[in-house]
């Protein structure tokens, strides 16, 4: 695999924060970031369900592989030099429950942010605060 394209929710502070974190990591496989549901995403990947890409992280490989939800997070970690061993472990039967819980927690944070509305989000100059746990 030569490159991965990560479709992320550009209106979600947590998603933007994670995008910035991924960009700061040493990449073994280059990661390109495209806002989910954007015209660019629709042009690059016309066959995708773009409404679904706004609900769940989606990663596309340079040979057309599509990863969603937990698999998408694992492949993002796999692309990073310092996190590849962890990605291998998370892909095993022993690690998958941990990966799934992490993805579910991130989804809960996103839901809480969406419910709070744009006035309650804190995102300035491309640096977004990571929200606390809901409730």
């Amino acid at each position: 695999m030569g490159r991965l394209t990560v479709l992320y929710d550009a209106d979600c502070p947590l998603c933007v924060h994670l995008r910035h974190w991924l960009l700061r990591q040493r990449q073994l496989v280059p990661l390109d970031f495209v806002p989910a549901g954007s015209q660019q995403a629709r042009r690059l990947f016309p066959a995708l369900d773009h409404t679904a890409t706004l609900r769940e992280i989606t990663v596309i490989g340079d040979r057309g592989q599509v990863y969603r939800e937990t698999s998408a997070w694992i492949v993002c970690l796999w692309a990073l030099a310092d996190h590849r061993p962890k990605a291998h472990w998370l892909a095993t039967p022993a690690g998958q429950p941990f990966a799934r819980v992490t993805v579910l927690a991130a989804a809960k944070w996103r839901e809480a942010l969406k419910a709070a509305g744009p006035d309650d989000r804190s995102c300035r100059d491309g640096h977004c605060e990571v929200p606390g746990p809901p409730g």
Side-chain angles (χ1 to χ4, degrees), residues 28-109:
L28 296 173
V29 176
L31 298 173
D32 299 319
F33 294 88
V34 175
S38 68
Q39 288 300 322
Q40 181 183 11
R42 292 174 193 280
R43 183 176 41 76
L44 290 171
F45 310 107
L48 282 181
D49 176 351
H50 290 278
T51 302
T53 66
L54 286 166
R55 288 190 309 268
E56 59 192 31
I57 182 173
T58 304
V59 177
I60 299 99
D62 57 359
R63 294 187 183 132
Q65 314 92 309
V66 178
Y67 305 92
R68 290 186 174 85
E69 297 179 340
T70 306
S71 297
W73 285 112
I74 291 172
V75 80
C76 283
L77 290 175
W78 175 83
L80 305 176
D82 295 336
H83 299 281
R84 186 168 276 186
K86 179 64 72 180
H88 284 291
W89 181 78
L90 289 170
T92 68
Q96 283 187 343
F98 293 97
R100 184 73 184 140
V101 165
T102 302
V103 170
L104 290 173
K108 289 288 184 192
W109 278 352

